[in-house]
Amino acid sequence: MLSKGFRILWLKLRTEENKHFYLSFPVPLYIFQELLDCTLDLLKLACLFARNRSNPDSSLSLTVYTVKEFVQITMKLLDSLTEDGPYNLVDVTAHKVKISVGIR
């Protein structure tokens, strides 16, 4: 995990009215990756005991296999976010409030 580098999802909030208010919140991405990896291990174990098809009597067509695929896709998305150098995901200013989300 750490061979790819230490990436942080950096959330920033600033208002133009109050120059002294500035919120900066760093979230290490490896935390999300580790949580998804643990969840994937649990889902693989659950797949051993779950049926491959959804119940036709149920209105919910979500199975353990579907959730497992969703977690795998989310892990690939996080890997693609951390491959390149630092960049901004969101940089928006509206109603005198500036919000910035970036990968550092």
Side-chain angles (χ1 to χ4, degrees):
M1 283 284 170
L2 293 177
S3 63
K4 293 182 184 179
F6 184 72
R7 295 287 182 208
I8 295 175
L9 180 70
W10 205 282
L11 307 169
K12 296 178 185 178
L13 176 71
R14 181 182 296 189
T15 62
E16 291 180 8
E17 294 174 354
N18 188 355
K19 299 288 184 185
H20 300 290
F21 178 74
Y22 184 78
L23 178 67
S24 182
F25 190 70
V27 179
L29 283 178
Y30 76 89
I31 291 174
F32 292 124
Q33 290 172 332
E34 289 296 322
L35 286 174
L36 287 173
D37 192 34
C38 293
T39 304
L40 185 61
D41 290 341
L42 291 173
L43 287 170
K44 286 179 183 178
L45 179 67
C47 285
L48 294 174
F49 302 105
R51 295 185 331 174
N52 197 4
R53 295 186 211 132
S54 63
N55 189 356
D57 297 333
S58 175
S59 63
L60 182 65
S61 63
L62 186 69
T63 64
V64 176
Y65 293 95
T66 308
V67 175
K68 184 180 100 172
E69 289 177 15
F70 176 72
V71 169
Q72 288 172 336
I73 290 170
T74 306
M75 288 176 70
K76 288 180 184 178
L77 176 69
L78 279 177
D79 285 340
S80 70
L81 285 176
T82 59
E83 282 180 356
D84 296 329
Y87 54 90
N88 287 335
L89 291 172
V90 175
D91 196 8
V92 178
T93 302
H95 300 289
K96 297 182 181 181
V97 176
K98 182 177 180 180
I99 298 173
S100 175
V101 178
I103 303 290
R104 303 282 176 240

